[in-house]
Amino acid sequence: MGRLTVLYDADCPLCVHLRHWLLRQRQLVPLDLVPAGSQQARRLFPALDHTATLREITVVGDRGQVYRETSAWIVCLWALADHRAKAHWLATPAGQPFARITVLAAAKWREALKGPGQEDGQCGDGHCGDGHCGVPGPPG
């Protein structure tokens, strides 16, 4: 695998935080981070269910492989130099329950962060041209 594209919810503070974290890591497999549901995502992957990509992390490999939810998190970690060994363990029967619990906890936190009017990728302030807010810069 030569490259991965991570589709993330640009309206989700947790997702944006994780995007910045991924960008700071040393990557063994280059990661392209693209806002889910954006025009760029739709152009790159016309066959994907883009509404679903706003509900769950989706990673697409350079040969068309599609990873969702727990598998997507594991493949992201696998792409990182300092986390590849952990990804291998999380993919084992012993590690899969930990990966699944982490993904479920992140999903619950993500839902708790969403305010009124932010379901299905809609911005609360109504100032987003295509229904998605711009990506804020890194913290600090």
Side-chain angles (χ1 to χ4, degrees), residues 55-77:
R55 288 189 305 267
E56 59 190 28
I57 181 173
T58 303
V59 177
V60 183
D62 57 1
R63 294 186 182 150
Q65 316 92 312
V66 178
Y67 305 91
R68 290 187 173 85
E69 297 180 343
T70 305
S71 296
W73 285 110
I74 292 172
V75 80
C76 282
L77 290 175

Side-chain angles (χ1 to χ4, degrees), residues 7-89:
L7 300 174
Y8 69 95
D9 184 350
D11 295 331
C12 165
L14 174 60
C15 302
V16 172
H17 173 78
L18 291 171
R19 172 193 182 270
H20 293 302
W21 180 81
L22 286 169
L23 290 173
R24 289 191 308 269
Q25 304 305 305
R26 189 166 57 92
Q27 300 172 4
L28 296 173
V29 177
L31 298 175
D32 298 319
L33 290 109
V34 175
S38 67
Q39 290 178 0
Q40 180 184 9
R42 292 173 192 280
R43 181 178 46 77
L44 290 171
F45 309 110
L48 276 183
D49 177 351
H50 291 279
T51 301
T53 67
L54 286 165
R55 288 189 305 267
E56 59 190 28
I57 181 173
T58 303
V59 177
V60 183
D62 57 1
R63 294 186 182 150
Q65 316 92 312
V66 178
Y67 305 91
R68 290 187 173 85
E69 297 180 343
T70 305
S71 296
W73 285 110
I74 292 172
V75 80
C76 282
L77 290 175
W78 175 84
L80 305 176
D82 295 336
H83 300 282
R84 184 164 276 189
K86 182 169 293 214
H88 282 291
W89 181 77

Side-chain angles (χ1 to χ4, degrees), residues 6 11 27 52 72 90 104-105 107 117 123 132:
V6 180
D11 295 331
Q27 300 172 4
L90 289 170
L104 290 173
C123 301
H132 298 85

